[in-house]
Amino acid sequence: MTSSQPSGLGAEYADTASEAYRAALQVIESVEPRVAEATRKELEDQRSSLKLIASENYASPAVLLTMGTWFSDKYAEGTVGHRFYAACQNVDTVEALAAEHARELFGAPYAYAQPHSGIDANLVAYWAILATRVEAPALAELGAKHVNDLSEADWETLRNRMGNQRLMGMSLDTGGHLTHGFRPNISGKMFHQRQYGTDPTTGFIDYSAVAAAVREFKPLVLVAGYSAYPRRINFAKMREIADEVGATLMVDMAHFAGLVAGKVFTGDEDPVPFAHVTTTTTHKSLRGPRGGLVLATEEYAPAVDKGCPMVLGGPLSHVMAAKAVALAEARQPAFREYAQAVADNAQSLANGFLKRDAALVTGGTDNHLVLLDVTSFGLTGRQAESALLDAGIVTNRNAIPADPNGAWYTSGIRLGTPALTTRGFGADDFDRVAELVVEVLQNTQPAAGPNGPSKAKYTLADGTAERVHAAATELLDANPLYPGLTL
Ligand code: DSN
């Protein structure tokens, strides 16, 4: 990186990036013009909408450009220095750099940069936990080094043991993720699963209730982390709870990794010192390329390191290179300012809703997201999401605890601050965003479909979409996406 502080959107090298993108699009256009056109259009669309999806962000042009190289052409199954293919020396360099930056940034003993996504990272972690906690001791007990050395009967016994372990994670409707043991997901099928929720009155995690549930169920894996819980977690407490029953604590910090990297979450709120295995995506609040990471203690590192080809297909070396660049950016002091602004802006967004009498799950936030309960507007999440989109506000519908409309239509809207904070939005801008969201929802009415009441149909009062879109455009123009970048 240069000695100047990167803005996050590459304003300091915008002219060079513009030349690079113009040339790239010209080359693409010569082969398949429709792809070049869609690529240009995607930038226009992202520039002209209020992106409030809590899991999205804008990576720097340095990160994006790193992905468009010949690293994509290389197979490199295996791990650094131990590949199933020849000529992987440059892949080794970028993978080792990504892992080094991740270890330094998060203070982790070991980092694995290969997962293609957060779900992949969680699958790698689950297999690593099973391999470390179940497979390795069974092999030792049977005096075998490798599963191929086992008799058919012993192998069957081991397979049964591997397939009969227990996992406990936060339920989907209270903010957990599909991969935290939701029964229809593979995580809920490969393990016997049980879920913990939040306090029905406050919406907060009740640690004594989690402890009681864990004591009763005695999981091998206790998962902490969330996709839609608007509060911080005390990981010291979660580790205590896990230790009481000898469970492995796995933390999925995909949503808040940027706040950990930026030292907003420290002490008991930093999962890395407490978790045996920590997983994350790299493209959410961490502001990197689309992908995943696993951090682990020395105990779990050897099994995680076998992630490819155990669980993962060939590593995306071009994306690992981009992870190295993004993690180098996240180690700059400016990233701490960014992370603090993400949290401050979420406060402002939450206060903006509360002062306009909109209901928030848990009554507010202390991370990067808010979960708006849209039942007070007489709407489903699906109706609210669609009406907001009509006005150029991109959010996603999300279940709320004990959601009466289920996981498809939902009763909530999840909104996050990482992306617009990268654009430069401040506290006042987020107050205005809350005002615009409320204006849309107040002007939206449920409508009937051909067969009667519908959870998807709605009408938006005339002029609302245009009025709100114009107001949003003022905010967007004041905080341009990729300033100086011209195609
Ligand atoms: N899709 C991510 C999110 O939006 O939270 C999690 O998988």
Side-chain angles (χ1 to χ4, degrees):
M1 302 304 304
T2 57
S3 56
S4 65
Q5 297 307 321
S7 69
L9 288 173
E12 62 276 33
Y13 52 76
D15 288 345
T16 318
S18 299
E19 278 174 42
Y21 277 112
R22 267 185 241 130
L25 286 164
Q26 214 176 320
V27 171
I28 296 165
E29 198 151 39
S30 71
V31 181
E32 177 43 290
R34 289 169 297 181
V35 170
E37 193 188 326
T39 307
R40 289 197 183 92
K41 179 73 171 40
E42 180 60 25
L43 178 59
E44 258 175 49
D45 289 353
Q46 294 210 22
R47 278 180 158 163
S48 61
S49 57
L50 277 179
K51 191 203 282 216
L52 287 157
I53 292 184
S55 49
E56 292 189 4
N57 210 328
Y58 305 103
S60 72
V63 168
L64 299 178
L65 284 165
T66 306
M67 282 188 279
T69 79
W70 28 92
F71 268 123
S72 174
D73 299 333
K74 190 75 196 92
Y75 247 123
E77 285 175 22
T79 189
V80 177
H82 186 79
R83 305 282 182 186
F84 293 87
Y85 289 82
C88 294
Q89 61 279 5
N90 299 310
V91 177
D92 278 355
T93 301
V94 295
E95 181 171 353
L97 274 171
E100 178 189 310
H101 281 308
R103 285 194 308 273
E104 295 288 328
L105 180 63
F106 292 111
Y110 166 83
Y112 186 61
Q114 289 196 24
H116 309 158
S117 69
I119 289 180
D120 289 5
N122 287 350
L123 287 176
V124 167
Y126 291 147
W127 278 113
I129 294 166
L130 286 172
T132 307
R133 297 284 311 275
V134 184
E135 186 182 26
L139 287 176
E141 214 175 275
L142 293 162
K145 281 217 162 86
H146 195 272
V147 288
N148 284 342
D149 304 333
L150 298 177
S151 67
E152 283 305 305
D154 284 344
W155 171 228
E156 199 50 30
T157 306
L158 176 52
R159 265 174 24 81
N160 278 325
R161 211 182 285 178
M162 299 266 284
N164 275 299
Q165 298 299 324
R166 296 175 183 184
L167 174 137
M168 187 174 252
M170 195 175 191
S171 67
L172 194 63
D173 70 325
T174 58
H177 189 252
L178 292 170
T179 55
H180 298 176
F182 184 52
R183 188 177 287 169
N185 181 263
I186 186 170
S187 59
K189 290 176 177 155
M190 67 192 262
F191 289 102
H192 292 293
Q193 50 76 244
R194 210 177 276 180
Q195 307 241 270
Y196 60 85
T198 49
D199 182 284
T201 312
T202 64
F204 280 67
I205 291 175
D206 172 348
Y207 293 95
S208 52
V210 176
V214 166
R215 249 176 246 132
E216 189 192 322
F217 189 55
K218 297 189 178 43
L220 177 80
V221 191
L222 175 63
V223 184
Y226 52 79
S227 293
Y229 178 66
R231 297 290 172 177
R232 303 182 185 194
I233 292 179
N234 183 323
F235 296 106
K237 278 195 185 153
M238 293 304 281
R239 176 60 186 260
E240 241 174 68
I241 293 169
D243 281 349
E244 215 188 302
V245 298
T248 298
L249 178 63
M250 181 183 131
V251 174
D252 177 348
M253 64 169 182
H255 260 264
F256 52 91
L259 300 184
V260 179
K263 308 296 174 213
V264 176
F265 289 5
T266 57
D268 292 352
E269 295 165 354
D270 176 354
V272 181
F274 299 103
H276 298 93
V277 184
T278 306
T279 62
T280 185
T281 50
T282 43
H283 50 272
K284 297 188 175 90
S285 55
L286 198 49
R287 209 164 64 181
R290 188 157 291 283
L293 274 181
V294 182
L295 309 174
T297 57
E298 301 288 358
E299 183 189 2
Y300 291 89
V304 173
D305 212 42
K306 292 194 172 77
C308 169
M310 180 71 73
V311 175
L312 301 171
L316 307 177
S317 305
H318 54 309
V319 181
M320 292 197 294
K323 287 174 191 172
V325 173
L327 291 163
E329 288 178 349
R331 291 182 67 190
Q332 299 282 326
F335 194 84
R336 292 194 183 193
E337 285 168 34
Y338 164 69
Q340 189 57 54
V342 166
D344 294 345
N345 285 339
Q347 287 293 323
S348 177
L349 182 64
N351 292 336
F353 283 126
L354 294 172
K355 78 183 188 202
R356 294 176 178 91
D357 296 324
L360 297 180
V361 172
T362 77
T365 180
D366 50 29
N367 56 25
H368 64 295
L369 69 88
V370 302
L371 189 55
L372 184 59
D373 176 347
V374 294
T375 55
S376 57
F377 294 94
L379 300 171
T380 64
R382 173 84 186 264
Q383 289 160 333
E385 176 192 83
S386 303
L388 288 166
L389 193 58
D390 290 345
I393 302 179
V394 187
T395 62
N396 69 285
R397 65 188 187 278
N398 207 100
I400 61 172
D403 200 309
N405 289 315
W408 178 250
Y409 291 107
T410 82
S411 303
I413 286 289
R414 187 185 66 165
L415 307 100
T417 54
L420 293 180
T421 301
T422 296
R423 275 183 87 136
F425 277 53
D428 291 347
D429 298 323
F430 273 99
D431 180 63
R432 179 81 171 122
V433 168
E435 188 180 8
L436 296 178
V437 169
V438 169
E439 184 173 347
V440 172
L441 299 182
Q442 282 173 340
N443 283 286
T444 306
Q445 295 294 326
N451 303 318
S454 161
K455 291 185 177 186
K457 304 256 180 236
Y458 63 97
T459 54
L460 188 54
D462 281 352
T464 308
E466 296 73 14
R467 196 171 60 247
V468 170
H469 212 148
T473 302
E474 272 179 37
L475 290 173
L476 293 165
D477 287 349
N479 300 283
L481 175 59
Y482 301 120
L485 187 81
T486 52
L487 299 184

